[in-house]
Amino acid sequence: MDALPEEVVAQALFALPAASLITDAQQRILVANAAFTRMTGYTQDEVRGRTCGFLQSPETDERTLAELDEALRAGRAYSCEVFNVRKDGTPFWNFLRIQPLRADDGTLQGFISAQLDVSDSVEQRRLLADEARTTALLLDLAARLGRSPAEASIAQEVAQTVRHLGLDRCSVAVIDAARGRLRIASRAGWGELAPEVEELRLRPEDSPEFDDMLANPRILLVRPDSSPWAADMLRRLSSNGFVAVPVRSGAELHGLLVCHWADSPAPAELPQGLTESLTAIAGLAATALDNVALLERVRRDAREDALTGVATRPVVTERLADALERDGLTGVLFCDIDRFKRINDALGHGAGDEVLRQVAGRLAAVAGAIDTVGRAGGDEFVIVLPELVSPDHARAFAERLEAALRLPFTIHGRPVFVTMSVGIATGRMRTEPAAETADALLRQADAAMYRVKERRHRRELDAPGVDLLALDTDLHLALDRREIGIALQPQYDLRTGRLTGFEALARWIHPLLGEVPTERFVALAEVGGLVHDLDVQVLEQACAAIDRAGVEGLCIAVNTSPIGLTEADLATDVARVLAAYPDRTWNLTVELTETALVHDPARVAGQLARLRALGVETAVDDFGTGYSSLAQLQDLPVQELKIDRSLVQRGGAVASTVLQAVAKLGLGLGLRVVAEGVETPEQLRAVRSAGCSRAQGFLLGAALPPEEALAAAPALGEALDLI
């Protein structure tokens, strides 16, 4: 055990009724207790650093002093009587018992002494000798408790020691807080009754005496005439009475020291000496139990996160290294809670801690028996998946995690939705040690997590005066209840003036805030991991609306986020929705932003090819504001290019030149070129002059609810006067 016995010895020293000193190996005084001060008049500060020679009277027997000196030089125990002088000059006979203090390797560390004033009668000498024996008993117990590694061994040492005080039987009962009762941790002197005592479980409410004592801890003497419960209990245990002493440290009650008289009657009152001895023993037991609890807490904290109860990062690394040594495929998921600072800022750090606890619980519920869930620190968690069949199993696990987090958490009485950015890495044992491979795999998963977070959280939210956490929760609920609607904005052919179709735009009418700006809640959806669900709901509503129109040849355009192309399976979602319209006479265009093209181009190309196979066209939206290259536009199966409104509305000769260049670029690549944000006749003339194929904007038609938009649009074939 790592506890220092000296701490327990010091506790014993100050609890002793006899005067005591601790010195170093050269007999220089280190500690003097209060009883020493009362006996000699010298305070600890006055004697610290001095040897005990200044106390000795010239009349002390020379032979005794020589034997004492020899014992000290030999480092062995010694007892004698010396004639000393108090600070006020009065002499007294001092019974001295010296005990060497040694390290585990036997090295002499110093001495501890018990000193008693034996100047009175023979009776007084006898009493003081008893005190000396008790002191020696307590010192020995203190040393043994310092080496006791667990609650059971501490209880056994205490129970054995108490019997040397003239009591016949002893039990140590500890409080079982989880079950609200006392249980026997150890016993001594019970003989044939030992099994019955061992099985004894006492609830405080069973005994008025114990119930009162636990509420107001104090020494309790119980005799057969104390109460009916006491008489029955003592009869069952063949006992004449017992004394119960609280084992406590400060306000914390650990349990009880219960000592019985079996061969002799219980006293009507407890002798003062016995009371002091039992109190000292209970104090030593409490100190030892505190030390054991502290060490256990330190060991547990090293392996178990104190807040969440999952493994600590060193344990995760250790488990990961163990998994890699089995030479199988091992996966690591590095998970970071999104927007955790927002939760702390809105609800307080106590709420943040509760989120961490509940998230850890859900992660642990998804993990299997051989998996390890750990907290890396802050709002980051790590999951080790040993014995994977393939990397796909790690991705499937991540999907199960995402599903487990979809339901809201209840934090301080309000629902809070939580998402996580998850980075995945898989690997096998390489040539370097497993620990190095484990560190490398953790770094890979961490880097992957940050790439996911960067893609999701590229847009920063700026909404002064808005409770973003509440808005995020309301958006989750609105998507769950399918309360997100759409508006349709018409699009016209600039050559013929005829209606070609509509673009579907998401709309959210908040019950308290009214219409939430689209850019705000779309950005919130992107940051909160909701944008794919938003895209799918808009797709479903747009297809339903254009199908209800019943007009052949119209096109409906919907927007999609980069996540739909790089993380989710957009093509599968589109195929599922279109399957509901096998006889459709309308067309679907999926619009994606320029920035979607620069992340995972291979996966994007695959998704676009699958969409084309479904008869779905794709358009690059907001062109001129992103980072796509000519090579990407040429290589990807894209049919339409939409010029961003910022290029259309800028005005001036330079802007006109840029507009014409972009339109010419699109037409040169064989793409249909659409101008967005046309709001004035001048802008309309500019985009027609630039050669754009189609246009949309407030000048040509505002975005309206589906039924209104369809009713306001001219019939198919009827040309709009585009002057």
Side-chain angles (χ1 to χ4, degrees):
M1 178 179 173
D2 301 326
L4 296 175
E6 286 83 355
E7 296 176 357
V8 184
V9 171
Q11 173 76 16
L13 183 72
F14 285 98
L16 296 180
S20 297
L21 296 176
I22 293 179
T23 73
D24 61 15
Q26 286 74 43
Q27 297 103 51
R28 292 186 295 259
I29 297 172
L30 302 175
V31 179
N33 72 353
F36 175 86
T37 298
R38 290 194 298 271
M39 184 177 74
T40 66
Y42 290 98
T43 65
Q44 178 173 261
D45 291 339
E46 291 174 319
V47 301
R48 185 182 287 120
R50 304 175 68 179
T51 64
C52 294
F54 74 94
L55 292 170
Q56 295 167 3
S57 166
E59 299 178 28
T60 298
D61 180 67
E62 293 292 337
R63 180 179 175 183
T64 300
L65 291 179
E67 292 176 354
L68 173 60
D69 184 61
E70 180 183 354
L72 291 173
R73 282 187 283 104
R76 56 183 173 82
Y78 185 71
S79 298
C80 64
E81 289 183 0
V82 292
F83 199 57
N84 286 347
V85 180
R86 295 186 177 91
K87 183 179 180 181
D88 62 6
T90 59
F92 68 104
W93 280 102
N94 183 7
F95 176 81
L96 176 65
R97 179 176 178 82
I98 297 174
Q99 186 78 23
L101 298 175
R102 297 187 181 277
D104 289 342
D105 61 1
T107 303
L108 181 66
Q109 301 291 304
F111 297 89
I112 186 166
S113 67
Q115 305 182 31
L116 302 173
D117 184 346
V118 292
S119 303
D120 294 331
S121 63
V122 174
E123 177 61 22
Q124 181 68 13
R125 284 177 174 268
R126 185 186 66 79
L127 292 175
L128 294 175
D130 286 344
E131 287 187 10
R133 284 193 296 273
T134 301
T135 298
L137 188 70
L138 293 176
L139 291 173
D140 180 62
L141 174 62
R144 286 186 283 119
L145 290 182
R147 297 189 294 270
S148 298
E151 175 193 277
S153 60
I154 289 171
Q156 187 60 32
E157 293 287 1
V158 169
Q160 294 287 0
T161 299
V162 167
R163 295 196 64 204
H164 293 288
L165 297 177
L167 291 152
D168 303 312
R169 301 168 182 164
C170 180
S171 302
V172 178
V174 297
I175 294 177
D176 187 343
R179 300 183 180 181
R181 67 186 186 186
L182 293 166
R183 61 177 175 81
I184 303 300
S186 186
R187 74 282 182 286
W190 285 93
E192 295 179 355
L193 289 173
E196 183 172 348
V197 175
E198 197 72 33
E199 294 299 321
L200 185 63
R201 300 291 186 270
L202 178 65
R203 296 182 184 277
E205 60 268 23
D206 296 336
S207 161
E209 291 88 350
F210 276 121
D211 191 31
D212 181 54
M213 191 190 75
L214 293 177
N216 305 284
R218 66 190 188 284
I219 295 179
L220 176 68
L221 176 63
V222 176
R223 295 163 45 90
D225 55 1
S226 298
S227 71
W229 171 87
D232 180 63
M233 174 64 71
L234 294 173
R235 178 185 55 77
R236 287 170 51 199
L237 297 178
S238 300
S239 174
N240 297 321
F242 66 82
V243 58
V245 184
V247 177
R248 60 186 298 181
S249 55
E252 183 178 1
L253 184 64
H254 294 285
L256 301 174
L257 182 60
V258 184
C259 310
H260 288 255
W261 290 270
D263 301 329
S264 57
E269 294 184 3
L270 283 178
Q272 181 179 350
L274 181 60
T275 300
E276 292 175 349
S277 297
L278 291 175
T279 301
I281 290 175
L284 291 175
T287 301
L289 289 171
D290 277 345
N291 285 344
V292 168
L294 175 61
L295 288 171
E296 182 59 33
R297 190 159 54 249
V298 169
R299 293 190 187 101
R300 185 175 62 250
D301 289 349
R303 301 191 64 81
E304 181 180 297
D305 181 61
L307 177 63
T308 63
V310 299
T312 57
R313 182 162 186 154
V315 174
V316 169
T317 305
E318 175 187 311
R319 300 268 179 86
L320 178 55
D322 290 343
L324 290 168
E325 286 181 345
R326 300 190 190 108
D327 200 27
L329 183 65
T330 300
V332 178
L333 275 64
F334 210 103
C335 314
D336 182 84
I337 297 177
D338 300 324
R339 310 174 317 283
F340 185 68
K341 183 178 183 298
R342 187 186 301 169
I343 296 173
N344 277 334
D345 291 345
L347 301 181
H349 290 278
D353 288 346
E354 182 60 25
V355 167
L356 292 173
R357 280 190 288 268
Q358 293 192 31
V359 166
R362 292 202 190 175
L363 298 185
V366 174
I370 64 173
D371 304 329
T372 298
V373 177
R375 185 180 176 202
D379 58 350
E380 295 179 336
F381 293 86
V382 181
I383 303 173
V384 177
L385 306 175
E387 303 179 15
L388 289 177
V389 176
S390 73
D392 289 340
H393 285 75
R395 287 189 285 272
F397 186 94
E399 291 173 0
R400 293 201 300 276
L401 285 185
E402 182 179 351
L405 295 174
R406 284 190 185 129
L407 292 176
F409 295 85
T410 301
I411 308 297
H412 292 181
R414 65 180 285 179
V416 174
F417 288 88
V418 173
T419 59
M420 302 188 85
S421 296
V422 180
I424 303 173
T426 58
R428 300 177 184 272
M429 181 70 150
R430 300 201 295 269
T431 54
E432 62 264 26
E436 295 182 16
T437 305
D439 287 339
L441 212 55
L442 283 170
R443 289 194 298 272
Q444 291 173 27
D446 191 13
M449 181 272 292
Y450 275 105
R451 288 194 296 271
V452 171
K453 188 174 285 290
E454 180 184 2
R455 288 197 299 271
R456 284 188 176 182
H457 302 220
R458 191 172 299 109
R459 295 177 65 172
E460 295 293 333
L461 295 176
D462 182 16
V466 176
D467 184 345
L468 290 177
L469 182 62
L471 197 63
D472 177 69
T473 299
D474 292 344
L475 181 57
H476 274 84
L477 297 174
L479 286 167
D480 288 344
R481 299 166 183 162
R482 305 189 72 82
E483 294 174 352
I484 301 298
I486 62 170
L488 300 182
Q489 185 172 46
Q491 191 179 96
Y492 291 91
D493 188 313
L494 291 178
R495 292 186 299 272
T496 66
R498 291 185 172 88
L499 176 72
T500 59
F502 298 88
E503 179 181 0
L505 304 169
R507 291 291 185 266
W508 180 22
I509 308 300
H510 191 280
L512 297 178
L513 302 176
E515 184 170 345
V516 180
T518 303
E519 64 274 11
R520 179 172 297 169
F521 76 81
V522 169
L524 194 64
E526 288 181 349
V527 172
L530 303 174
V531 71
H532 178 62
D533 291 340
L534 177 63
D535 288 348
V536 171
Q537 289 195 23
V538 170
L539 171 66
E540 292 171 343
Q541 294 182 60
C543 291
I546 201 69
D547 193 71
R548 287 196 303 272
V551 180
E552 184 177 355
L554 284 182
C555 176
I556 187 71
V558 297
N559 293 279
T560 187
S561 70
I563 291 175
L565 295 168
T566 58
E567 296 183 26
D569 191 351
L570 176 66
T572 297
D573 292 324
V574 170
R576 176 184 57 79
V577 174
L578 292 182
Y581 309 99
D583 301 321
R584 66 184 183 278
T585 59
W586 43 269
N587 302 312
L588 174 65
T589 296
V590 173
E591 298 183 2
L592 60 147
T593 60
E594 269 191 278
T595 52
L597 304 179
V598 300
H599 294 289
D600 202 349
R603 182 172 173 81
V604 170
Q607 288 280 321
L608 297 185
R610 291 174 59 195
L611 289 174
R612 193 68 188 123
L614 293 170
V616 176
E617 293 189 339
T618 53
V620 177
D621 197 11
D622 300 334
F623 188 80
T625 63
Y627 309 96
S628 60
S629 67
L630 295 179
Q632 286 174 314
L633 288 177
Q634 189 172 8
D635 294 341
L636 291 174
V638 175
Q639 290 75 46
E640 182 176 286
L641 184 149
K642 298 189 74 172
I643 299 176
D644 185 69
R645 66 178 59 244
S646 63
L647 297 181
V648 173
Q649 297 175 354
R650 190 169 298 168
V654 174
S656 177
T657 301
V658 173
L659 177 63
Q660 291 183 28
V662 172
K664 186 175 181 180
L665 168 66
L667 295 170
L669 292 173
L671 303 177
R672 184 170 59 246
V673 178
V674 180
E676 295 183 290
V678 177
E679 297 184 356
T680 67
E682 291 78 14
Q683 292 169 1
L684 179 60
R685 286 193 292 271
V687 298
R688 291 184 69 179
S689 175
C692 294
S693 311
R694 298 177 182 178
Q696 68 184 81
F698 191 79
L699 178 68
L700 305 177
L704 299 172
E707 303 307 324
E708 295 180 32
L710 292 170
L716 187 65
E718 181 181 336
L720 189 68
D721 186 11
L722 302 179
I723 299 176

